[in-house]
Amino acid sequence: WDPYYVRSLTRFSDQGIIPPLSAAQLEAADVLEATCKRLALHMILEVGDIQFLSNEHVFHARTEYTDHAPPAPRRHLMRLWLATPEDEGGWKLPFHDSTEKKRGGIQVDDHPPVAPLDAE
């Protein structure tokens, strides 16, 4: 849980685009943040580690990272969207595209996805 996104809504409420957060909403955000900090699990990943998270079940965040200067190997993260359609044994999800073969992710026009195995 990162409260930045909720707290940054003031950039819209200050302009009158959305109403400001109520006292109850701000308190709820504070309680959520305190609970997340109290129950947080800090993981240190080593070279070759892999981490699977479900955005439906886990709040997650990343800490700041500074990459090594060249010529040392660069950090290389790959995002993988696992989404099995319901008719192939996937979970029933509350999304309009949960029965689609290709759901989620970012697709631009007809450009094929690119996933280089080495850092660029």
Side-chain angles (χ1 to χ4, degrees):
W1 163 256
D2 184 348
Y4 167 78
Y5 297 104
V6 172
R7 304 218 189 286
S8 71
L9 290 173
T10 57
R11 69 187 187 275
F12 300 112
S13 59
D14 290 349
Q15 296 177 37
I17 297 171
I18 63 172
L21 295 174
S22 68
Q25 289 170 319
L26 291 170
E27 181 183 4
D30 289 341
V31 169
L32 179 59
E33 181 179 3
T35 302
C36 288
K37 286 181 178 179
R38 183 171 46 86
L39 300 176
L41 171 66
H42 182 76
M43 298 179 69
I44 298 178
L45 302 178
E46 302 292 336
V47 173
D49 285 352
I50 188 169
Q51 182 181 55
F52 285 96
L53 296 173
S54 168
N55 287 341
E56 303 303 315
H57 301 92
V58 178
F59 283 127
H60 63 280
R62 294 165 202 84
T63 55
E64 184 178 346
Y65 180 84
T66 303
D67 213 345
H68 300 286
R74 309 286 291 165
R75 180 182 189 194
H76 184 58
L77 295 176
M78 294 182 73
R79 175 182 226 161
L80 174 65
W81 289 63
L82 299 175
T84 305
E86 292 173 29
D87 62 353
E88 294 180 17
W91 292 315
K92 183 172 176 63
L93 299 172
F95 302 114
H96 67 88
D97 62 351
S98 66
T99 59
E100 299 293 322
K101 293 276 186 203
K102 288 175 69 175
R103 62 169 295 275
I106 299 169
Q107 182 95 24
V108 179
D109 300 324
D110 292 325
H111 292 273
V114 177
L117 296 179
D118 294 311
E120 296 176 336

